[in-house]
Amino acid sequence: MRDQRFPFSDRFQRHLVAVFARVPQYAVRSRPVVKVEWFENELHRAIVAASYAHVDTYKSTPSSATILEGARALVDKDQHEDLAAEIRRVFKEDLSDLDSVDQRIVEFVREAALVEAVLKAVKKIDAGARPGEVQKLVEEAELVGNQFLDVGEDWSASVEERLVRYADRDAHEASLLATGMPHLDEMLLGGLRAGELGVVIAAAKTGKSSLLVNIGYGAVRQGVSVLHVSLELDRTLVLGKYDDRVTGMQRSRALLTPNRYKNRLRSRLRENAKGTLIVRDYGTRTASVPHIRSVALALIARGVKLGLIIVDYLNIVIPTTRRGEPRFEQAGIAEELRALGKQLNVPVWSAAQTNRNALNRALVTLADIGESYEITQVADVNIALCCTPDERAEGVLRIFGAGCRERPTGMTVECRFAPQISTITTVALHGVAYATKHIERDKAASGSSPAKDRVERARSRLGLQKKPSKKLTTRL
């Protein structure tokens, strides 16, 4: 990094050294963000390193004598006189422009971080790294400058601002994106906030994609621009689901009654498509979060004001970093999706698949997600799709609040589900007792009972094991 040239003069870099060495708030703020090796001049690097060492130990700015003492050990003896002269120049710098220096510091930090990221990327490419890993390095470098400016919020000093925020109902509602499904929005206290991640938990073929389509449809009806990324279904099928939802008719009607279907689709789109819907499809396990980010940024560059991102579904997104075990990789994907929402200031909805045991459960919980459990710890909202085989046949679906941050957990939304037209209609919102009833149904179906459960818990505490069944005993 020392041999790299940045578009910042030696004179300006001396000014930065003076700011970091002499101004307490800048000394502390620059420490975790600005790296010593980003300065071109060896003397400047020694001065900054000595200043940082003092800040780390004493949490205050050092004197010129203290810096000289610490920096002398970092340069050759024949440079000691030049070092002392440079320190004198640093302490004579005019710092009256502190009010305007922030932005220039951010530019310096971002430029240096980008150059460092590019150099690391070249090494990673030579080592066979994935494109997603390289892109992630560059994106993280672009955020470094913002980290310097954002020093947090003072609890006591910002009390009046918070009181204004708490009382501003319009701002609170504006920060939430409703699903357009009344009882579900009631359970979620209005919807999902910008920067939050919502995950739909469900067994295979039980309505994950349909619920995501209904959420996307609800957003478009509110005038929101939606990016729907499908990693399982072809874009034609996804758009077809949206067509089914808006028309309330199956696409097969386009063949049977073409004119009627055509007129209905056009008129319903005019009435309901107040926002923009963009559907981008990828093959299964061919896209990572950086791919999704690049599509979102390209749309924003074209003037699309994104308000929601939907990813169908999380388990088949490619991890950008290998973490050894699939569960950790999936948690990493969830973290990246949530970070993407924060970066673009939009809510993100996705889905995660449960294990096969949940297919016929009356109540699906976080315990049914198996290896994907870490996903639920990252997500702000986890809702589970529940239905027994009989309910499925009758078009009954329940949405269970399996685990939600700053929202009630354990409530259930009762729905009607018409899969042939991808339509989920909420009917009622029930309290915790409603979910408890379905837990008992699952226990009854598995041959369990409260009495049996108490006996098994007592046996477990006492370290007793069940006696082997005679039918399973084989004489050797």
Side-chain angles (χ1 to χ4, degrees):
M1 203 58 192
R2 294 184 181 184
D3 296 328
Q4 303 306 312
R5 309 302 297 181
F6 305 117
F8 295 94
S9 66
D10 186 74
R11 177 74 181 77
F12 174 74
Q13 291 188 43
R14 178 187 297 144
H15 194 65
L16 291 188
V17 171
V19 171
F20 297 153
R22 293 165 50 192
V23 184
Q25 64 265 34
Y26 282 96
V28 175
R29 284 168 58 189
S30 66
R31 181 66 183 94
V33 180
V34 182
K35 297 183 180 181
V36 171
E37 58 266 29
W38 288 352
F39 291 90
E40 293 178 335
N41 187 308
E42 185 179 359
L43 299 180
H44 290 164
R45 289 196 295 271
I47 294 169
V48 173
S51 298
Y52 281 173
H54 186 88
V55 168
D56 289 342
T57 304
Y58 303 104
K59 310 302 180 195
S60 62
T61 52
S63 65
S64 59
T66 301
I67 290 179
L68 178 60
E69 185 66 27
R72 282 164 63 93
L74 303 176
V75 298
D76 296 334
K77 286 185 178 181
D78 59 359
Q79 293 179 292
H80 285 184
E81 288 186 14
D82 291 338
L83 176 65
E86 187 62 25
I87 291 174
R88 286 194 293 272
R89 284 191 286 268
V90 164
F91 274 78
K92 287 180 181 178
E93 277 287 312
D94 179 9
L95 300 183
S96 60
D97 63 341
L98 286 180
D99 290 340
S100 61
V101 80
D102 268 0
Q103 192 54 45
R104 290 291 288 162
I105 294 176
V106 169
E107 291 172 8
F108 171 80
V109 169
R110 185 173 290 141
E111 186 77 27
L114 279 171
V115 171
E116 183 179 62
V118 169
L119 293 175
K120 286 182 179 179
V122 171
K123 292 181 180 179
K124 280 186 170 289
I125 290 171
D126 290 341
R130 297 180 173 209
E133 294 180 58
V134 174
Q135 185 172 349
K136 188 176 180 181
L137 282 173
V138 176
E139 289 167 351
E140 288 175 350
E142 290 175 340
L143 297 174
V144 170
N146 297 335
Q147 293 172 9
F148 181 83
L149 286 177
D150 187 1
V151 295
E153 185 172 334
D154 187 307
W155 183 33
S156 299
S158 65
V159 61
E160 296 302 328
E161 295 175 20
R162 291 201 307 280
L163 288 171
V164 171
R165 288 202 300 265
Y166 298 157
D168 192 342
R169 183 181 296 273
D170 292 338
H172 174 71
E173 292 177 353
S175 70
L176 293 165
L177 178 60
T179 66
M181 307 168 73
H183 299 94
L184 179 56
D185 288 328
E186 185 179 350
M187 183 175 79
L188 298 180
L189 302 183
L192 204 62
R193 295 184 186 90
E196 288 188 324
L197 172 64
V199 175
V200 179
I201 303 166
K205 314 301 180 188
T206 54
K208 293 191 302 295
S209 296
S210 292
L211 181 55
L212 292 176
V213 163
N214 276 263
I215 291 172
Y217 173 68
V220 172
R221 289 192 69 194
Q222 298 172 62
V224 173
S225 293
V226 178
L227 170 60
H228 188 126
V229 178
S230 174
L231 295 103
E232 186 176 36
L233 301 177
D234 179 85
R235 70 178 66 180
T236 304
L237 293 176
V238 177
L239 289 168
K241 282 179 171 287
Y242 277 98
D243 289 340
D244 293 342
R245 180 65 184 84
V246 73
T247 60
M249 299 170 65
Q250 289 180 276
R251 280 158 280 163
S252 58
R253 292 293 186 91
L255 297 174
L256 300 174
T257 55
N259 289 332
R260 183 187 172 205
Y261 182 84
K262 194 184 301 182
N263 293 333
R264 188 182 182 97
L265 177 57
R266 287 171 176 166
S267 65
R268 290 294 180 88
L269 279 174
R270 282 194 298 270
E271 294 170 11
N272 295 283
K274 298 174 183 177
T276 302
L277 170 66
I278 306 294
V279 176
R280 176 66 164 93
D281 59 340
Y282 291 94
T284 302
R285 301 189 188 282
T286 61
S288 61
V289 174
H291 287 101
I292 297 169
R293 181 185 287 107
S294 64
V295 173
L297 292 175
L299 290 172
I300 292 170
R302 294 180 185 181
V304 178
K305 188 178 179 181
L306 280 183
L308 172 64
I309 295 176
I310 295 174
V311 180
D312 187 12
Y313 58 97
L314 197 151
N315 302 85
I316 51 179
V317 176
I318 296 178
T320 54
T321 306
R322 293 298 182 189
R323 301 191 180 188
E325 294 184 39
R327 60 195 180 106
F328 296 135
E329 291 178 352
Q330 290 177 7
I333 294 167
E335 290 165 0
E336 288 182 64
L337 284 176
R338 193 168 185 269
L340 175 61
K342 282 190 172 295
Q343 179 187 354
L344 302 182
N345 197 36
V346 299
V348 179
W349 275 103
S350 190
Q353 193 159 295
T354 64
N355 53 41
R356 286 179 296 177
N357 296 333
L359 186 60
N360 297 322
R361 289 266 178 89
L363 188 72
V364 176
T365 67
L366 299 186
D368 295 308
I369 202 167
E371 286 193 349
S372 305
Y373 182 76
E374 276 75 10
I375 292 173
T376 65
Q377 305 307 296
V378 177
D380 299 280
V381 168
N382 296 283
I383 56 176
L385 298 187
C386 315
C387 61
T388 62
D390 291 341
E391 289 174 326
R392 199 171 296 125
E394 295 170 2
V396 174
L397 183 69
R398 284 169 286 106
I399 302 175
F400 174 62
C404 304
R405 192 171 288 133
E406 295 186 353
R407 297 168 177 86
T409 294
M411 302 182 78
T412 305
V413 178
E414 186 182 351
C415 309
R416 299 293 300 177
F417 181 27
Q420 68 277 13
I421 54 172
S422 301
T423 300
I424 298 175
T425 307
T426 64
V427 176
L429 177 62
H430 300 280
V432 177
Y434 186 81
T436 305
K437 179 180 72 174
H438 288 90
I439 293 175
E440 297 303 325
R441 284 176 61 184
D442 283 333
K443 288 183 177 180
S446 63
S448 180
S449 69
K452 284 184 179 180
D453 290 344
R454 285 195 296 272
V455 170
E456 290 307 316
R457 285 196 295 270
R459 280 180 173 276
S460 177
R461 284 196 299 271
L462 295 171
L464 300 176
Q465 300 295 325
K466 275 188 175 181
K467 293 181 179 180
S469 171
K470 291 182 179 179
K471 293 181 180 178
L472 299 177
T473 304
T474 304
R475 188 171 184 178
L476 300 176

